[in-house]
Amino acid sequence: MKYRLLDLLACPICKHFPLTYYVFSEKQVERNLGDEKKPLCEIYCAYKKVNVKDAKEELPCEECFKKEIVYGILYCSQCKRWYPVIDEIPRMLPDKLRRESEDVEFLKKYKDKIPREILLEGLPYNIKESI
């Protein structure tokens, strides 16, 4: 998942923007920004975690453009829902389409990298009983 995607994503349930994210692993990709205008993000630079208009220095679009989030988690601080990023793909499904067993397995696998708030209170599933 490109960091730039976080400039576009909002929580599918409550529409809150921007989402908080935690990166568990990322990879470097050979990619040239070319003639793209800078900054690429219109509202929010997730790479620097700053609103584009509030940036006090030039945003590192060249650097950001070459990184992909492989595994991580997206979190909505408003409705407390979390969404896994697995193999570079954000899985932002509505609650009724998510599988509890897969979500709980994901939380357990990365529990040392996920904030306790998400582990204990995250929706639609958490691992409160397992900790």
Side-chain angles (χ1 to χ4, degrees), residues 22-116:
Y22 301 91
V23 177
F24 308 152
S25 66
E26 67 180 16
K27 71 178 183 180
Q28 193 80 13
V29 178
E30 281 304 313
R31 187 179 295 136
N32 190 345
L33 193 57
D35 295 332
E36 295 282 339
K37 65 178 174 74
K38 286 171 64 176
L40 295 176
C41 298
E42 294 178 17
I43 300 170
Y44 182 71
C45 171
Y47 191 68
K48 283 296 197 177
K49 296 184 179 183
V50 65
N51 288 327
V52 172
K53 290 181 182 176
D54 298 337
K56 295 186 181 354
E57 56 191 47
E58 186 174 338
L59 297 173
C61 299
E62 285 280 348
E63 184 180 338
C64 173
F65 202 61
K66 295 178 180 178
K67 296 195 179 201
E68 299 269 338
I69 300 169
V70 179
Y71 289 94
I73 198 166
L74 303 175
Y75 178 65
C76 176
S77 59
Q78 187 165 315
C79 71
K80 303 210 182 296
R81 280 184 174 70
W82 62 273
Y83 306 95
V85 176
I86 301 172
D87 291 328
E88 302 172 39
I89 300 170
R91 310 238 172 132
M92 300 180 74
L93 296 171
D95 296 353
K96 65 182 179 182
L97 295 179
R98 294 175 71 167
R99 292 194 176 118
E100 182 176 7
S101 61
E102 289 176 9
D103 280 356
V104 168
E105 182 180 326
F106 181 86
L107 290 172
K108 287 179 178 178
K109 181 176 182 177
Y110 294 105
K111 70 181 178 184
D112 295 335
K113 298 179 180 191
I114 299 173
R116 289 187 64 78

